[in-house]
Amino acid sequence: MSAHPYDHGHTVAGWTGCGIAVVGTSVLGAGVCTVSAPLLVAGVAVDVLALLVTWVLHLVGWGKPSGPRPREEWSWRVRDSGARAGHAECLGCRLAGRRGGTVVVTAPVTVTASGERAERAERAGADAVGAGG
């Protein structure tokens, strides 16, 4: 259970991009402190890499659309099933050529530590059948 009543947007794309960007910014800072052009260039290159990695992960469904998400999609392990069509107001999706005008409604998919995929809608349906019998 989450300790906060709202969606922070923790996603695989966000965490991965942030981690790479921290490394790039650290290298960039070291370049500023040591007045080293190669470190400055390397830091900028790693930060650009962080941007590209985050964008690619968002496009394959490990990011999130703009705005709040339903509570059952707050886990960082939930993949965004609507990413293939694109998000309507997302600059990254528009840059990739995905306009996102259509809304695709599917059940959220959770990926477990063992790599198995389980759809919450199937689980909820099985629970309802088991409770009714």
Side-chain angles (χ1 to χ4, degrees):
M1 173 134 182
S2 179
H4 48 77
Y6 46 87
D7 176 24
H8 278 299
H10 301 300
T11 63
V12 172
W15 284 108
T16 303
C18 184
I20 296 171
V22 165
V23 171
T25 304
S26 298
V27 171
L28 190 59
V32 168
C33 291
T34 61
V35 191
S36 169
L39 281 178
L40 290 172
V41 171
V44 169
V46 172
D47 280 342
V48 169
L49 176 70
L51 177 70
L52 293 175
V53 167
T54 304
W55 183 38
V56 168
L57 286 172
H58 171 78
L59 292 176
V60 297
W62 288 112
K64 79 175 210 63
S66 300
R69 296 181 290 180
R71 185 176 280 281
E72 60 271 2
E73 294 181 25
W74 284 9
S75 172
W76 65 274
R77 290 174 288 191
V78 174
R79 207 162 171 185
D80 178 19
S81 57
R84 233 178 233 284
H87 303 112
E89 297 181 16
C90 177
L91 175 63
C93 290
R94 285 191 308 235
L95 288 173
R98 299 177 182 178
R99 298 291 170 216
T102 53
V103 176
V104 178
V105 179
T106 59
V109 177
T110 302
V111 179
T112 62
S114 63
E116 299 172 0
R117 293 173 55 151
E119 294 197 20
R120 293 179 188 262
E122 288 179 2
R123 255 190 280 148
D127 292 342
V129 170

